[in-house]
Amino acid sequence: EVDIDDMILDESIPKFARKFILHQKAQQAEVVAEGKAAAAAAAAVAEGKIAVAEAKIAVAEAKATGELAFVKLNMTLSHQLITEKNYYLKQLSYLTQRHALESFFTQIILTYKSNENSTISLAIDAEDIKDKKAGFAINLKNTFPRMSKANDLFRKPLVEDAIWQEFGLDVRYKFPMFGADLLYGGISDIIHNPNMKTIIVSDAAHEDYIGFFNLLAKTYSRPFTLYDYQIAESSATVL
């Protein structure tokens, strides 16, 4: 096998031939160097692409993590707002129901006082005749009775039917059973007049109870709202 380096040093070979061989060797070395440089460049490009890809993945992961955190924050705030909303609706529900019931009782009493021939007046007078000791008519004509007394009178079948007929109310919803807190004291709306704009009731209340106050909401053109009883009760330990 011929060694090119030996040929370059061999003085028996013409000088021009040795120069040609040297030139060829230089070109070969240049080609090898260019190949190595190209390979290195390709490797660098590949590494760069990998780095870019990894950077994009990192950005995407960070974005996803941020979006997930944002969603969780929104869910937390949404739950908190729902909890607070139902808690405060519960606090207001008694006032709105009391105001609506007082308005209804007052309308009944004013109808009795202003028109002795109304269906309501005739029914109340008939009850008064049946039970003179109760003195229904005298009490209503002279003053506004206590809520419990008015409730006892108005839910008597004869009077109740007359009220629903007089005002053209839906007969599916008559007086439900009221709690003592709702019937406490006298009719005070005409004095305090809190001017409630809505009626709020628990979604866990009896169907007749919900139906009655929904009926009053329609009668007085007030918005009707049900609050979530379970959320409102659980919020008492949170807020």
Side-chain angles (χ1 to χ4, degrees), residues 29-232:
E30 186 178 345
V31 170
V32 171
E34 288 179 353
K36 289 182 178 180
V45 170
E47 289 179 358
K49 288 182 177 179
I50 292 173
V52 170
E54 290 176 344
K56 288 182 177 179
I57 292 173
V59 170
E61 289 177 346
K63 182 178 179 182
T65 301
E67 289 177 350
L68 181 60
F70 182 72
V71 169
K72 288 182 178 179
L73 177 60
N74 274 348
M75 290 176 64
T76 300
L77 292 176
S78 177
H79 177 73
Q80 183 178 348
L81 289 173
I82 291 173
T83 300
E84 291 182 0
K85 172 186 174 182
N86 284 277
Y87 174 80
Y88 290 114
L89 284 176
K90 177 189 175 185
Q91 304 309 308
L92 289 171
S93 62
Y94 164 76
L95 294 176
T96 64
Q97 292 170 34
R98 173 69 183 230
H99 183 270
L101 191 59
E102 283 198 15
S103 298
F104 190 44
F105 280 5
T106 299
Q107 184 179 7
I108 296 169
I109 293 170
L110 291 177
T111 299
Y112 174 76
K113 287 184 175 183
S114 63
N115 185 0
E116 62 182 14
N117 294 318
S118 68
T119 305
I120 291 175
S121 296
L122 296 175
I124 291 176
D125 288 341
E127 286 292 341
D128 192 51
I129 292 172
K130 286 167 57 179
D131 190 355
K132 283 289 184 182
K133 292 182 180 180
F136 294 128
I138 294 176
N139 288 337
L140 289 181
K141 286 178 180 177
N142 294 332
T143 184
F144 280 88
R146 296 181 65 81
M147 289 289 288
S148 58
K149 291 293 184 182
N151 178 66
D152 291 342
L153 170 61
F154 298 157
R155 68 172 50 254
K156 288 182 177 294
L158 181 63
V159 178
E160 186 178 47
D161 289 343
I163 293 170
W164 259 249
Q165 180 181 343
E166 182 78 30
F167 299 140
L169 303 176
D170 189 340
V171 295
R172 293 177 299 171
Y173 304 107
K174 295 295 185 69
F175 284 116
M177 296 302 297
F178 301 117
D181 56 341
L182 203 61
L183 298 174
Y184 177 80
I187 295 179
S188 58
D189 176 50
I190 56 173
I191 299 174
H192 303 298
N193 191 23
N195 196 25
M196 294 290 176
K197 299 294 186 182
T198 188
I199 299 177
I200 305 168
V201 178
S202 166
D203 64 357
H206 192 277
E207 181 181 353
D208 292 342
Y209 196 90
I210 294 175
F212 173 76
F213 279 102
N214 190 28
L215 179 69
L216 293 191
K218 294 177 181 177
T219 300
Y220 298 114
S221 300
R222 300 181 187 179
F224 181 76
T225 300
L226 291 175
Y227 71 84
D228 191 306
Y229 175 80
Q230 290 188 340
I231 293 179

Side-chain angles (χ1 to χ4, degrees), residues 8-19:
I8 295 173
L9 297 174
D10 191 350
E11 293 183 357
S12 64
I13 299 175
K15 191 175 181 179
F16 74 89
R18 282 184 288 160
K19 285 185 178 181

